[in-house]
Amino acid sequence: MPDLCTTGERLFKELDQYIDSIGAEPDKLISVLQKAQELFGYLSSEVQQHIAEALGIPVSQVYGVVTFYNFFSTKPKGKVQIKVCLGTACYVKGGDRVLERFLEELGTKPEEPTKDGQFSIHAVRCLGACSMAPVVLVGEKDFYGRVKPDMVPRIIDKYKEVKVQ
Amino acid sequence: MPLAATTILICAGGACISAGEESVKQALEKEIEKYALGDVVRVVETGCMGACSLGPLMVIYPEGVFYQKLTPQAAKKIVEEHILKGRIVKEYLYKMPTGEAVPEAVEKLPFFARQVKIATRNVGYIDPLNIEEYIARDGYFALAKVLKQMSPEQVIEEVKKSGLRGRGGAGFPTGLKWELTRKSQGDKKYIVCNADEGDPGAFMDRSVLEGDPHTILEAMAIGGFAIGANQGYIYVRAEYPLAIERLNIAISQAKEYGFLGEKIMGSDFSFHIEIRIGAGAFVCGEETALIASIEGKRGQPRVKPPYPAQSGVWGRPTVINNVETLACIPPIITKGADWFRSIGTEKSPGTKVFALAGKITNTGLVEVPMGITLKELLYEIGGGSSTGKKIKAVQTGGPSGGCIPSEYFDTPVDYESLQKLGAIMGSGGMIVMDEDDCMVDVARFFLEFTVDESCGKCTPCREGTKQMLKILDKITAGEGAEEDLQELENLATVIKDTSLCGLGQTAPNPVLSTLRYYHNEYEAHVKEKRCPSLKCKQLIRYVIDSSKCVGCTACARVCPVNAISGEVRKVHQIDNEVCIRCGSCIEVCRFGAISKVSP
Amino acid sequence: MSKIKSLEDLMKIKEKALRDLQLRETDKRGKITVAMGTCGIAAGAKDTLKAIVEALNENNINDVSVVQSGCMGLCEVEPTVEVRLEGQEPVVYGHVTPENAKRIVKLHIMSSQVVTDLLVRKGEI
């Protein structure tokens, strides 16, 4: 697909601009990776290679940092990312059952996008809204509090048509 | 800015947002526009007010009327009744545990009356996006006092005298930390605010950052002045986008007013703050790991000494303070060390913010004097169990802490007392557990967390916790042997003694504390293959009481794996070979006919 | 915004900001209640309220709070305002235009003088 190519080029260009704006120093690696993930959705080996060259560090060091932090992903995610909190409070209040229900409804495994690429389910540790446990976060902003397994199909339905989260 | 006669403070803390604050705010604004009240009614989003279980919340000033559990419809009604007609909308008023509504000022509610607010003094009270409201509440006066009237040594002396101890968990005296860093040689020095609040169950730092970001900036500038640093970093979790946004706004306002930047308030002192966003690694709460992460590396801890006070960020002397600790600094400077010492206990002066969560009525954030008993905290302020079942234990200190059984609820809350019980103060998360919570499962839960989060540097932590988890998996599956309990203790001791950093050293705490207080539960799992709390899936079965089942088929229809069979109006059966123990059937049965049993 | 250089600069901002904030405080010497029912607003109570707040500000009065209420049932003489000062009988005024509002602040609030031509009712109901 030709326009995918140009999109890719555009994203690399945007990444380079960002690197220029904060300075191409090795200590900026985490910030650069955060920006790259924001742009590309995940950190492919191609992107990691590119960053290594831009910052003048070995790609092994980039890979080491990428795999160390939970925030970074080397695999594509679903268009809509659903984070199910499994912090202590959510766990005590049945967050594990909410997670199971999501996986069951979508027929997928944690971190793996559904076949159509629409959703991916992520178990996360504490979103800091413990008093509303169990908590589910869809995308970056849509918080659902006091979620019961029964509410899961309704939550999924809301995002079936969503293009980009 | 024209003055508004009515100010509606709407809580935009994380919990209220997840409870639907945004839609309530939109409804409010729509109604305000509809009645053209824009000039006289001001809606302000504040940080967390602390009564999270009642969210979304709002307080209407000048009357100070407190409304809870709001919906867009409620917002409409409140504008139409309260704002336009001055009639209090009783159905949304804050209610006592007895169900009686309280149309009183916020300060008089029992949930608030026992609290002493120092670190969270402005949270939920001021508009976090308005630096002048912070100034109105004595904001930046401490910085002015320090720059105009005090020497760095005097600042350190005052903080030392106050007895303030690190609120991030370990309780190291803050003044001493500052003094050590001041005395270290270095061409540059740094002060870092640790806002990588990783403990599951703790959210006070987020609340302060979202609700009162300027207090952190002011405290960091004071700390910078005291230790001789011109650069500060705030290391904040990526999971807290709102906090990051508000900090950024606060930083630009502080620069504009001249509280950050070159030659602050006409003095020779210059100070800058940069935000560094974490990337999700629990171990980065550990000082040396956090430093590595700021430098853009894998967040792995290193051997201490040298301590950060001697060699921190880029090998320069660095002081690292937690958010809540920093939030106590400005009041200590303005009101003095003696005032601070008059609150709390001899060894743990001041207050502590706790995040109450789990099976407790008033979930939320509370700030109380140190030395308050767990009983007062959980029952008087927290309102006791939310499930109607007895509170069995409270878990403090997250994955590094332990479970405290209800028999010990008379214990005063301070660093030493909690440690004696095998728990720790930690960052202040308190998860309340009732009789439905299996302590073996809770220990397993925390171990799973540490296994995920161990950075892998030290073998005992990396491999040892994995072995412990394996044993706990076996026990909760009913395959444990008696000698496993001894093996757990052995492993725990070795991991504690031989790990490099706090994560490894404290990782066995949840197991050790539950082994100590709930040995009988472990024994039931191991010897009788039984889970007394009916939690461990492999040890329970679901049964239908034939005398109660009316054959409504609700359970059979909801069962995701078709494990339930039976005809209409006839008693149903559950095939426990097929059943996945999801519990959906119990939730839909209106006759209480389904229950869990453990042999 | 010029940068703050001295304690005096800071104090000034605090005082200004406090005036804004104090409307939320209670323990006051008095209270002005503006009837803000739909009828009151239709009669211009919004401007009245604004004028009162401004007048208090201009005269540095911060121990009198301004609150809203619903309709006092005196729609005929809207906008209405009730002034309640410590140790004095409450007074209700009618036809309180922004101009009249300023007079009420000057006379009643500042020198405890009842503005007789606007008087609707005196004393508790």
Side-chain angles (χ1 to χ4, degrees):
Chain A
M1 283 185 285
D3 55 325
L4 198 75
C5 261
T6 47
T7 321
E9 276 168 25
R10 187 177 53 76
L11 293 178
F12 275 113
K13 218 171 149 190
E14 211 179 321
L15 182 61
D16 286 339
Q17 279 167 357
Y18 176 76
I19 295 174
D20 284 345
S21 74
I22 61 164
E25 302 292 329
D27 67 276
K28 301 286 167 45
L29 178 57
I30 292 176
S31 311
V32 173
L33 289 170
Q34 278 163 340
K35 182 70 183 179
Q37 182 156 302
E38 185 190 313
L39 291 170
F40 293 90
Y42 70 106
L43 301 165
S44 64
S45 45
E46 198 190 355
V47 171
Q48 292 181 45
Q49 185 81 43
H50 183 91
I51 292 172
E53 278 163 25
L55 299 183
I57 50 175
V59 72
S60 60
Q61 194 180 325
V62 176
Y63 183 73
V65 169
V66 168
T67 51
F68 184 84
Y69 294 99
N70 298 332
F71 185 77
F72 299 126
S73 166
T74 53
K75 284 189 219 147
K77 295 178 184 172
K79 278 184 213 149
V80 176
Q81 290 151 36
I82 300 178
K83 292 176 184 146
V84 182
C85 183
L86 287 187
T88 324
C90 290
Y91 184 74
V92 167
K93 291 228 173 155
D96 51 338
R97 287 175 42 213
V98 174
L99 175 66
E100 275 168 26
R101 188 64 181 266
F102 268 110
L103 297 174
E104 215 175 88
E105 290 285 330
L106 292 170
T108 183
K109 288 182 194 149
E111 316 292 324
E112 272 180 31
T114 48
K115 284 200 187 86
D116 60 357
Q118 182 68 11
F119 293 101
S120 56
I121 308 294
H122 308 265
V124 295
R125 303 284 190 195
C126 203
L127 294 165
C130 313
S131 47
M132 295 302 291
V135 176
V136 169
L137 174 63
V138 183
E140 294 299 315
K141 278 194 180 146
D142 295 359
F143 267 102
Y144 294 88
R146 299 192 181 119
V147 178
K148 293 204 173 98
D150 277 354
M151 292 158 66
V152 167
R154 262 179 291 149
I155 295 177
I156 292 173
D157 276 350
K158 273 193 171 172
Y159 298 91
K160 277 201 168 137
E161 307 296 324
V162 173
K163 295 255 160 55
V164 193
Q165 189 61 40
Chain B
M1 186 186 73
L3 272 184
T6 293
T7 306
I8 301 178
L9 299 185
I10 179 157
C11 173
C16 283
I17 289 178
S18 71
E21 178 269 341
E22 185 62 31
S23 61
V24 173
K25 194 185 143 222
Q26 279 165 5
L28 264 183
E29 281 167 348
K30 204 178 125 205
E31 292 303 309
I32 287 168
E33 208 192 306
K34 186 166 138 199
Y35 293 104
L37 294 168
D39 291 340
V40 289
V41 180
R42 191 160 65 115
V43 180
V44 180
E45 281 188 298
T46 69
C48 181
M49 294 179 184
C52 306
S53 67
L54 308 176
L57 303 166
M58 64 162 86
V59 184
I60 300 187
Y61 281 98
E63 306 94 309
V65 173
F66 189 74
Y67 287 114
Q68 65 172 22
K69 294 189 180 165
L70 297 166
T71 58
Q73 292 76 30
K76 185 167 184 280
K77 194 155 181 195
I78 287 169
V79 172
E80 286 169 352
E81 291 292 311
H82 185 129
I83 306 287
L84 288 176
K85 302 181 189 145
R87 294 182 203 142
I88 282 171
V89 186
K90 288 217 175 90
E91 58 200 283
Y92 298 109
L93 269 184
Y94 174 87
K95 292 192 182 58
M96 303 272 284
T98 52
E100 161 198 354
V102 190
E104 286 204 79
V106 174
E107 288 73 14
K108 290 181 195 150
L109 301 178
F111 179 74
F112 298 97
R114 293 288 313 254
Q115 297 195 47
V116 176
K117 298 205 172 203
I118 298 176
T120 59
R121 64 197 180 280
N122 292 327
V123 180
Y125 193 86
I126 61 167
D127 179 352
L129 301 178
N130 184 346
I131 187 173
E132 298 203 351
E133 293 206 358
Y134 179 65
I135 294 171
R137 305 262 292 169
D138 289 331
Y140 290 110
F141 275 77
L143 180 61
K145 183 173 174 188
V146 162
L147 295 178
K148 303 280 177 196
Q149 300 164 8
M150 294 170 87
S151 68
E153 288 76 14
Q154 284 173 319
V155 175
I156 289 173
E157 199 44 47
E158 196 68 19
V159 175
K160 270 175 80 181
K161 230 173 81 189
S162 76
L164 175 66
R165 300 170 67 174
R167 300 295 193 240
F172 192 83
T174 306
L176 190 58
K177 218 179 202 179
W178 285 16
E179 188 174 45
L180 291 170
T181 315
R182 167 136 203 107
K183 286 183 176 159
S184 290
Q185 295 299 317
D187 57 334
K188 272 200 93 156
K189 291 178 186 177
Y190 299 100
I191 179 164
V192 175
C193 168
N194 184 351
D196 189 45
E197 191 171 45
D199 271 8
F203 50 100
M204 60 287 294
D205 292 352
R206 157 162 147 153
S207 163
V208 171
L209 295 170
E210 287 176 0
D212 193 18
H214 283 288
T215 195
I216 300 305
L217 307 185
E218 183 180 9
M220 286 178 76
I222 294 169
F225 173 79
I227 64 164
N230 300 114
Q231 177 70 47
Y233 291 103
I234 303 177
Y235 186 87
V236 55
R237 292 180 87 189
E239 285 88 340
Y240 290 179
L242 189 61
I244 295 167
E245 186 188 313
R246 293 195 177 158
L247 276 171
N248 273 318
I249 295 171
I251 288 174
S252 63
Q253 287 176 345
K255 279 186 193 160
E256 197 189 315
Y257 280 68
F259 299 126
L260 288 177
E262 299 296 324
K263 300 196 179 303
I264 295 171
M265 298 185 79
S267 71
D268 285 334
F269 175 64
S270 303
F271 190 71
H272 305 271
I273 292 180
E274 244 180 73
I275 294 178
R276 286 291 162 104
I277 299 167
F282 177 68
V283 71
C284 286
E286 202 278 342
E287 293 188 328
T288 56
L290 188 147
I291 289 166
S293 188
I294 287 182
E295 295 172 351
K297 300 178 196 148
R298 286 166 72 94
Q300 283 181 315
R302 58 158 177 78
V303 181
K304 290 192 276 191
Y307 290 94
Q310 289 118 31
S311 174
V313 181
W314 288 295
R316 303 322 207 300
T318 302
V319 85
I320 301 175
N321 290 135
N322 150 280
V323 171
E324 191 188 332
T325 315
L326 286 171
C328 294
I329 296 285
I332 288 175
I333 298 294
T334 41
K335 297 186 180 175
D338 293 335
W339 161 79
F340 192 76
R341 282 216 84 100
S342 71
I343 301 159
T345 67
E346 177 64 28
K347 280 189 168 171
S348 307
T351 55
K352 177 78 192 88
V353 184
F354 291 101
L356 303 179
K359 294 174 177 167
I360 187 159
T361 306
N362 297 331
T363 57
L365 279 186
V366 296
E367 184 168 357
V368 291
M370 293 269 194
I372 190 171
T373 66
L374 284 165
K375 197 177 263 165
E376 290 170 297
L377 186 58
L378 299 175
Y379 290 92
E380 283 178 35
I381 297 172
S385 163
S386 63
T387 58
K389 294 187 179 167
K390 202 173 153 268
I391 294 180
K392 178 157 138 186
V394 60
Q395 206 279 344
T396 68
S400 317
C403 289
I404 302 171
S406 53
E407 298 91 275
Y408 295 88
F409 281 2
D410 283 324
T411 309
V413 177
D414 60 60
Y415 294 97
E416 281 73 22
S417 306
L418 291 185
Q419 206 154 14
K420 260 186 231 151
L421 293 177
I424 61 165
M425 175 88 82
S427 49
M430 293 224 161
I431 315 273
V432 175
M433 306 192 177
D434 71 3
E435 288 161 334
D436 288 341
D437 294 304
C438 167
M439 292 296 129
V440 185
D441 183 61
V442 166
R444 196 196 58 81
F445 167 83
F446 281 113
L447 246 291
E448 206 174 57
F449 182 92
T450 351
V451 168
D452 270 1
E453 295 295 343
S454 170
C455 79
K457 184 167 181 159
C458 312
T459 320
C461 170
R462 183 184 69 231
E463 300 300 329
T465 52
K466 211 168 253 171
Q467 293 309 316
M468 286 178 79
L469 179 60
K470 263 190 182 167
I471 295 175
L472 287 166
D473 277 337
K474 259 173 69 186
I475 295 176
T476 50
E479 290 155 13
E482 268 178 73
E483 50 273 25
D484 283 337
L485 301 184
Q486 189 52 51
E487 188 59 27
L488 269 182
E489 277 206 66
N490 294 346
L491 278 166
T493 318
V494 172
I495 295 169
K496 251 178 130 69
D497 291 348
T498 54
S499 294
L500 184 61
C501 81
L503 189 150
Q505 287 161 9
T506 58
N509 280 353
V511 178
L512 287 173
S513 75
T514 47
L515 269 173
R516 176 169 160 193
Y517 297 118
Y518 299 97
H519 212 268
N520 55 342
E521 287 194 27
Y522 278 89
E523 281 177 5
H525 284 73
V526 171
K527 288 185 187 162
E528 302 157 35
K529 313 294 178 206
R530 186 172 67 82
C531 177
S533 312
L534 303 171
K535 171 83 189 172
C536 296
K537 281 185 178 174
Q538 277 136 300
L539 298 180
I540 55 166
R541 287 183 306 120
Y542 280 74
V543 290
I544 295 178
D545 183 340
S546 56
S547 68
K548 286 182 184 162
C549 178
V550 298
C552 74
T553 75
C555 57
R557 277 180 283 131
V558 80
C559 178
V561 291
N562 296 321
I564 305 180
S565 57
E567 286 168 43
V568 185
R569 283 194 279 277
K570 295 220 172 104
V571 173
H572 283 47
Q573 265 114 33
I574 300 177
D575 181 349
N576 272 286
E577 293 296 310
V578 181
C579 172
I580 54 166
R581 282 97 172 137
C582 71
S584 304
C585 52
I586 290 191
E587 269 168 38
V588 296
C589 181
R590 287 185 289 124
F591 307 95
I594 308 177
S595 56
K596 296 187 276 188
V597 292
S598 190
Chain C
M1 181 66 217
S2 60
K3 292 198 191 313
I4 289 163
K5 296 275 183 215
S6 63
L7 207 55
E8 289 70 44
D9 291 352
L10 189 59
M11 208 59 191
K12 264 183 217 153
I13 297 193
K14 180 186 167 174
E15 278 165 8
K16 177 180 162 286
L18 254 185
R19 282 199 295 273
D20 293 4
L21 255 186
Q22 266 178 358
L23 279 179
R24 294 198 205 142
E25 306 277 3
T26 40
D27 57 349
K28 301 271 172 158
R29 159 172 85 95
K31 190 166 88 172
I32 304 178
T33 310
V34 183
M36 295 282 276
T38 313
C39 47
I41 290 172
K46 238 173 64 187
D47 293 335
T48 306
L49 187 83
K50 224 165 115 185
I52 293 174
V53 171
E54 275 167 16
L56 291 175
N57 260 355
E58 278 162 18
N59 295 295
N60 281 313
I61 300 166
N62 50 22
D63 53 358
V64 175
S65 61
V66 182
V67 297
Q68 301 173 48
S69 76
C71 181
M72 291 180 190
L74 301 161
C75 301
E76 191 62 28
V77 293
E78 293 278 17
T80 48
V81 165
E82 184 197 67
V83 177
R84 205 177 263 269
L85 293 179
E86 225 173 40
Q88 293 177 24
E89 284 184 293
V91 174
V92 175
Y93 294 112
H95 299 295
V96 187
T97 59
E99 262 55 58
N100 287 337
K102 287 191 176 139
R103 278 171 58 213
I104 293 173
V105 171
K106 275 239 151 70
L107 293 171
H108 194 149
I109 304 291
M110 296 174 74
S111 39
S112 289
Q113 239 179 289
V114 173
V115 189
T116 42
D117 59 305
L118 300 173
L119 185 69
V120 172
R121 197 190 65 221
K122 224 175 149 187
E124 300 283 354
I125 303 169

